[in-house]
Amino acid sequence: MVKGTSLRGFWSSRLAFVLAVSGSAVGLGNIWRFPFMVGENGGGAFVLFYILCVFAIGLPIMISEVMIGRRGRRNPIATMRIVGEEEGSHAAWSLVGVMGIVAGFLILSFYSVIGAWTIAYLGHSLAGSFSHLPKEEIHDLFEALQANPLKVVVLHTIFMTLTVVIVGRGVERGLEKLVRFLMPALVFLLGLLLVYSIVAADFARGVEFLFRANFDALTPAGMLMAMGQAFFTLSLGMGAIMAYGAYLPEGTSISRTSFAVVVVDTMIAIVSGLIIFPIVFASGLDPAQGPGLLFETLPLAFGSMPWGWLLGPLFFALLLFAAWTSAIGLLEPAVAWSVESHGLSRRSVAIVIGVLIWALGLLTVFSFNLLADVRIFGGTLFDNIDHLASNVLLPLGGLLITVFGGWVMCKNSSADELDIGTGPAYRTWRFLARWVAPLSVLLVFLHAAGILSALGLV
Ligand code: PHE
């Protein structure tokens, strides 16, 4: 693929594609980001709105993104240009690809730091540090990590190196095989943890928090975050899915494949919530404590459950793999673009871009210590980078992608590429992609900017 020659038929099977896209989709977004976002935004109503966004906005956009990717068969920038020209439209559509690369850059910069925390916790769990610790000391463990920026920088360097190595070699080798057995292993382990939360923690309160919708708790900003989370968790709006779609063989159903990925991804997020919140309530922790939530709850479970000494390291190792396969998807568009358009060597490009992202990541490392007091719009540097990328750039990219798939691509092209005929399934997708998804993104943007209420519409 990346060698600049034929891109056709790269994934060995439909299953391989599903696994690769789920490898990109399932990651820290489901297990780390989803629970702490839910906690910060009051629970049930946020979850409900998030699920709505996933299916009404995320699914049609994912179908559009895969479809455009397979049509263009290049990196996102070239794909948008080529398919745009093919449809008699403007080459400026390639700017969507540029924006996606910027978003990937920003996201990977902090993603790698959370990957670093995960490595630190893998270390703690291997050393048996959680055993029977009370919640105060588990909290101190997290604080101690944040108070040690040098350690986080070292681990951040390791995480970025792991990512650069895979992307530098070309995604095709290794990724497929890896995801094929790690993903089911992660799901199995989450199943075990769920059993723990059901029998040993306050499952009833966790369920209530997660599913009882109190709409007063959902602010316009919370709605924007729920939508951003839908994009983030599905890896949408930045070209990652488009880049994978470029390798999808003809004759594979895009719609069914996307549906499968969306369902799996959503289930993993919900299960993570069902694991974490019962522990939060059983231990009297604060659900709204922010990015440390995962790291201050699960160790409590590992420290007290039978076999925790084994399950703890297994969990953090699998989480690390899940993060790693997502990080690869974040770096791939930028690298593929540099390689294909400038004929540079994949390895050196991956290294250069990796170093730049690593440097940007230092801002996130320091957001939790040296620069914790630097506030912009009331948030840390990390909050702002995350917000800009996840809640603004991804939805905006997704909006443009679905407008492209629904409006710029003519009916013949999209029907041909989706290959589901022009019956109800196709018409449903097209309606969602042309109207529901773009207008919903727009409305959430306007609402969060306070414009709907200023106009007296809500
Ligand atoms: N979807 C990944 C996760 O949930 C993050 C990601 C976003 C990966 C965008 C690639 C592109 O962890």
Side-chain angles (χ1 to χ4, degrees), residues 245-279:
Y247 311 135
L248 183 66
E250 302 292 338
T252 309
S253 165
I254 292 178
S255 47
R256 268 191 303 155
T257 314
S258 304
F259 187 73
V261 172
V262 167
V263 168
V264 168
D265 187 86
T266 307
M267 275 170 43
I268 293 185
I270 299 286
V271 167
S272 303
L274 286 174
I275 294 170
I276 287 174
F277 289 109
I279 303 175

Side-chain angles (χ1 to χ4, degrees), residues 24-25 27-30 111 232-235 238 240 326 329-330:
S24 163
L28 296 170
N30 309 60
Y111 206 84
F232 188 98
T233 191
L234 297 173
S235 309
M238 59 148 286
S326 300
L330 283 162

Side-chain angles (χ1 to χ4, degrees), residues 121-132 138 189 192-193 196 298-317:
Y121 273 70
L122 174 60
H124 285 321
S125 59
L126 282 170
S129 318
F130 307 142
S131 184
H132 297 105
I138 297 280
L189 203 65
L192 287 184
L193 293 178
Y196 170 86
L298 286 191
L300 280 170
F302 293 130
S304 67
M305 65 170 49
W307 297 88
W309 57 271
L310 178 66
L311 298 180
L314 266 178
F315 171 80
F316 285 109

Side-chain angles (χ1 to χ4, degrees), residues 188-208:
F188 179 72
L189 203 65
L190 288 173
L192 287 184
L193 293 178
L194 183 60
V195 172
Y196 170 86
S197 278
I198 293 174
V199 290
D202 198 341
F203 195 66
R205 270 195 72 196
V207 170
E208 189 185 326

Side-chain angles (χ1 to χ4, degrees), residues 162-174:
L162 288 172
T163 309
V164 163
V165 165
I166 292 285
V167 175
R169 289 171 58 197
V171 173
E172 76 267 43
R173 292 183 241 158

Side-chain angles (χ1 to χ4, degrees), residues 119-173:
I119 302 178
Y121 273 70
L122 174 60
H124 285 321
S125 59
L126 282 170
S129 318
F130 307 142
S131 184
H132 297 105
L133 281 196
K135 65 178 184 198
E136 292 77 18
E137 285 177 44
I138 297 280
H139 175 72
D140 292 345
L141 216 53
F142 185 71
E143 297 275 284
L145 177 65
Q146 302 313 332
N148 188 350
L150 186 64
K151 176 173 173 184
V152 181
V153 170
V154 170
L155 299 175
H156 165 52
T157 312
I158 295 177
F159 188 89
M160 275 311 296
T161 308
L162 288 172
T163 309
V164 163
V165 165
I166 292 285
V167 175
R169 289 171 58 197
V171 173
E172 76 267 43
R173 292 183 241 158

Side-chain angles (χ1 to χ4, degrees), residues 16-17 59 81 102 113 124 175 185 191 198 201 206 211 272 287 303-304 320 358 370:
F17 177 77
L59 181 59
R81 182 170 43 76
V102 173
V113 176
H124 285 321
L175 185 62
I198 293 174
F211 294 119
S272 303
S304 67
L320 185 60
W358 174 86
L370 306 176

